[in-house]
Amino acid sequence: MVLSEQQNFYPDISFVDDEGHRFALDLKSTYRVDGNRVNGMTLGAFTGYFRERNSTKNITFPYGSYSGHFVLGVIYSKTDGLIDERRRYNLEELERITSVIRDFQFFAQEKYHIASDRPGSGNTKNIGSVTEIDKLISGSGPFASLGEDVFDDYWMYYLTKDMARAAELKRPPYTNLRSYLKYKGLAK
C-alpha cells in the first residue's frame, strides 16, 4: 500500500501486488439530495496525467502503469436542523453531540463504471460521476456497458468550450456521450 504524497495527487492509495501490478484507489464522498440521487463526485482530472499516461506530475505512479482504477465511495445524508458547532461540551455530554452527517452507505466500483459524460465541476477539468444512487452502487453508469477503452477515449479527447477555442475550433467536437458516439461513427 502506497499513500499519496500530496492531498491533490491521484490516487489516494496505490496498491502494488507481489508481481508489481498497481491498482489505484480513490476515496470519494457525496451527500444525498433526495432518496434516489446524490450531489455527485469528481473522479479525477481529464487533462494532465490522464492524457499523458506516462507523466508523474500530480500522480503517485504514471496513470498508464495501473492495472485498474477504483473508487471507494461514501454516500451520506446531512443532518436536518440547526447544529451549533461552536457550542462547547463537557465529557459527560459526549453522547448528546449531534453529528452533522448520518446514514452512511459505502460502495466500491471501477472508476469508468460510475463516470458520467460530463465534467464534475464547472471550473475545473474533472470527470464527473453519475448521480443516481442505484447506478453508483451497481456500477451501471453510461460507460459501464461500453468499456474502459471508450471511457478513456471519450475523456482523453474531451474539450471544454475554452479548450476548443484555444485549439482554434468553433466548438468542441462532442459535448456528451450521444454526440461522441455519432462523432466516432459508432451510432446512427
Side-chain angles (χ1 to χ4, degrees):
M1 184 168 77
V2 181
L3 300 177
S4 175
E5 288 183 22
Q6 303 287 329
Q7 185 270 336
N8 63 340
F9 274 35
Y10 176 85
D12 292 314
I13 304 170
S14 296
F15 292 96
V16 183
D17 69 14
D18 291 338
E19 287 83 39
H21 300 106
R22 296 173 176 155
F23 301 90
L25 180 67
D26 238 8
L27 308 174
K28 298 293 181 180
S29 65
T30 186
Y31 61 89
R32 290 178 184 86
V33 293
D34 61 37
N36 301 314
R37 300 180 82 75
V38 296
N39 186 53
M41 299 173 284
T42 58
L43 301 178
F46 60 82
T47 57
Y49 60 76
F50 188 83
R51 293 183 179 186
E52 301 297 327
R53 298 287 169 112
N54 293 318
S55 174
T56 56
K57 183 178 180 192
N58 295 346
I59 189 165
T60 303
F61 299 108
Y63 195 93
S65 72
Y66 287 95
S67 298
H69 299 268
F70 298 87
V71 172
L72 176 59
V74 180
I75 300 170
Y76 62 89
S77 296
K78 294 179 179 180
T79 300
D80 298 327
L82 183 63
I83 297 172
D84 185 358
E85 295 177 0
R86 295 169 295 194
R87 180 175 177 234
R88 290 185 177 216
Y89 291 87
N90 61 42
L91 203 50
E92 292 78 35
E93 298 175 293
L94 191 59
E95 290 187 19
R96 293 192 1 228
I97 299 173
T98 304
S99 175
V100 295
I101 57 177
R102 59 185 170 77
D103 300 331
F104 297 95
Q105 189 172 11
F106 298 88
F107 67 90
Q109 291 293 341
E110 283 193 80
K111 179 162 68 170
Y112 81 93
H113 279 234
I114 61 170
S116 74
D117 63 350
R118 61 180 171 22
S121 55
N123 60 355
T124 60
K125 295 175 179 75
N126 285 299
I127 299 165
S129 75
V130 293
T131 58
E132 299 88 348
I133 293 172
D134 62 327
K135 289 182 179 181
L136 287 170
I137 301 301
S138 66
S140 56
F143 292 100
S145 63
L146 298 172
E148 193 169 15
D149 289 341
V150 171
F151 164 79
D152 283 348
D153 188 68
Y154 180 92
W155 283 108
M156 285 178 78
Y157 298 101
Y158 183 89
L159 299 176
T160 64
K161 289 178 184 177
D162 288 342
M163 293 166 76
R165 272 194 291 277
E168 299 181 2
L169 299 172
K170 289 183 181 180
R171 67 185 67 82
Y174 54 89
T175 57
N176 57 39
L177 193 51
R178 182 180 306 158
S179 60
Y180 165 84
L181 293 172
K182 189 175 178 181
Y183 173 73
K184 290 289 192 168
L186 302 172
K188 299 174 184 176

